[in-house]
């Protein structure tokens, strides 16, 4: 219906703002584009479903997200990938894990702070009815 399309359009505009804000943050540069498999040849043998902010921006444009939780599920995936691929207790791995957790908490906080819960409930209803 037209009302549903208006709601989903508003969701896409909102999610693009969140995604752009995260991608602008210098601390999250390693999440802004796909991990370079030239640089890490074994990445795809360890991580079955890579995810990054540029890919998420494209998914918004392709109408892949019908509610904020779908978007946050990809944030969770991106974070889990970083924890899985960088598990060691050396400083580099510890820093990327910390950044992954910081990005995840920031994404949830931004969405909770700026999204009306009735709006998200409406989006979830549209998703579940589809
Ligand atoms: C989400 O980013 C990653 O998991 C890669 C893994 C990686 C290891 C070596 C090259 O890339 C990363 C990039 C930059 N700094 C830390 C780790």
């Amino acid at each position: 219906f037209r009302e549903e399309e208006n709601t989903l359009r508003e969701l896409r505009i909102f999610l693009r703002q969140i995604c752009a804000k995260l991608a602008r943050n210098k601390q999250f540069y390693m999440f802004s584009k796909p991990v370079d498999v030239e640089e890490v040849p074994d990445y795809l043998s360890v991580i079955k479903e890579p995810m990054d902010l540029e890919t998420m921006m494209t998914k918004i444009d392709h109408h892949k997200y019908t509610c904020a939780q779908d978007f946050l599920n990809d944030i969770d995936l991106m974070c889990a990938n970083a924890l899985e691929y960088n598990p060691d207790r050396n400083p580099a791995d510890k820093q990327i894990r910390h950044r992954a957790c910081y990005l995840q908490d920031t994404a949830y906080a931004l969405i909770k702070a700026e999204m009306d819960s009735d709006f998200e409930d409406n989006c979830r209803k549209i998703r579940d009815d589809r």
Side-chain angles (χ1 to χ4, degrees), residues 71-82:
F71 177 87
L72 289 170
N73 291 345
D74 273 350
I75 293 281
D76 294 344
L77 170 63
M78 187 166 53
C79 177
N81 288 347

Side-chain angles (χ1 to χ4, degrees), residues 31-88:
F31 300 102
S32 59
K33 293 194 182 328
V35 169
D36 182 348
V37 287
E38 255 91 89
E39 206 181 312
V40 272
D42 72 328
Y43 192 75
L44 295 180
S45 66
V46 176
I47 299 301
K48 295 308 159 205
E49 192 180 356
M51 189 49 64
D52 66 278
L53 292 166
E54 184 181 74
T55 299
M56 291 177 70
M57 192 67 92
T58 302
K59 286 182 74 171
I60 295 170
D61 295 345
H62 295 178
H63 299 198
K64 299 289 188 192
Y65 301 124
T66 52
C67 63
Q69 190 56 51
D70 287 347
F71 177 87
L72 289 170
N73 291 345
D74 273 350
I75 293 281
D76 294 344
L77 170 63
M78 187 166 53
C79 177
N81 288 347
L83 301 187
E84 185 178 350
Y85 188 77
N86 307 281
D88 303 337

